[in-house]
Amino acid sequence: MLVIGVDEAGRGPLVGNVVAAAVAFPSGFTIDGLTDSKKLSENKREELYKQITGSCYWSWSQASSDEIDKFNILEATMLAMKRAIKQLKIEIGNSNELIEVLIDGNRCPDIENCRAIVKGDLTEPVISAASVIAKVTRDRQMIELDQAYPEYGFARHKGYGTKAHLEALENFGPIEGQHRFTFGPVKKLIRS
């Protein structure tokens, strides 16, 4: 049975995409140091990212800030996960092997043979690998956004509602197509 691990990054920030990644290990593959990506240093995540992308089947997808505003963050996360799983299945090819999908969290997207595991990124290495891919990909997106809008400090806070980000929002306003207008701190600014 082929096991696909899935995790996301970027549910909490006020800006940017929610990114989901899906990973499947080749037979017999092991990797040291995997855990929840938030518990790893940036350098360790980058090192693991190279190992995973060089040795495993993997994909990532996303739901945009506009989709987050349209559907809500939970539904947008499920959409990003479904997209990543679909892409990985295409990458793997027409395998007749039964596939089980393990999701970090307490809810599965609407797909077959799926099991949600709370704190799965701590207990299932294949989910931990997906966590690393999702986090590194989203962090890179925030660094790119920082280059376009350096006054917001996205490279430092990665879009979370830090004091510096909230001050930048007050001073410069939200960025159309990037900020999540349905999230409280952004919505509050629009109303005032």
Side-chain angles (χ1 to χ4, degrees):
M1 175 182 292
L2 183 66
V3 177
I4 295 175
V6 181
D7 201 1
E8 55 68 33
R11 283 180 71 161
L14 307 177
V15 68
N17 307 313
V18 61
V19 173
V23 173
F25 291 163
S27 180
F29 179 79
T30 59
I31 185 170
D32 290 331
L34 279 174
T35 187
D36 175 0
S37 63
K38 293 181 291 296
K39 296 185 179 295
L40 300 169
S41 70
E42 186 174 349
N43 286 342
K44 184 64 175 175
R45 280 194 302 268
E46 288 286 344
E47 176 189 317
L48 289 168
Y49 179 93
K50 287 178 188 162
Q51 290 180 51
I52 295 161
T53 58
S55 302
C56 301
Y57 296 107
W58 63 278
S59 69
W60 67 268
S61 191
Q62 62 193 13
S64 69
S65 57
D66 288 339
E67 289 174 312
I68 292 166
D69 286 341
K70 180 179 179 182
F71 301 120
N72 75 46
I73 187 59
L74 178 60
E75 292 307 315
T77 300
M78 295 296 120
L79 180 62
M81 286 181 171
K82 281 175 77 169
R83 289 171 176 166
I85 294 162
K86 181 179 179 183
Q87 185 59 40
L88 183 60
K89 286 180 177 179
I90 292 168
E91 174 80 19
I92 292 170
N94 291 331
S95 169
N96 292 328
E97 193 172 3
L98 184 63
I99 294 174
E100 181 182 27
V101 179
L102 304 179
I103 304 280
D104 180 53
N106 62 4
R107 181 175 173 196
C108 283
D110 184 22
I111 59 169
E112 291 181 6
N113 299 324
C114 183
R115 185 164 44 110
I117 303 173
V118 175
K119 298 190 186 295
D121 53 0
L122 293 171
T123 61
E124 298 290 335
V126 73
I127 297 177
S128 302
S131 172
V132 168
I133 299 295
K135 175 85 171 122
V136 169
T137 301
R138 181 164 155 59
D139 284 358
R140 289 176 179 177
Q141 290 178 351
M142 288 294 96
I143 291 166
E144 285 179 28
L145 193 60
D146 185 74
Q147 291 167 356
Y149 302 96
E151 64 274 17
Y152 289 85
F154 296 130
R156 286 188 313 280
H157 55 66
K158 305 300 189 274
Y160 285 91
T162 63
K163 183 179 179 193
H165 189 184
L166 295 175
E167 286 173 359
L169 268 170
E170 288 266 340
N171 292 331
F172 305 109
I175 303 166
E176 193 71 41
Q178 296 295 337
H179 276 98
R180 301 171 182 181
F181 285 78
T182 55
F183 278 40
V186 181
K187 189 191 295 187
K188 182 180 167 189
L189 267 177
I190 298 166
R191 287 187 185 150
S192 49

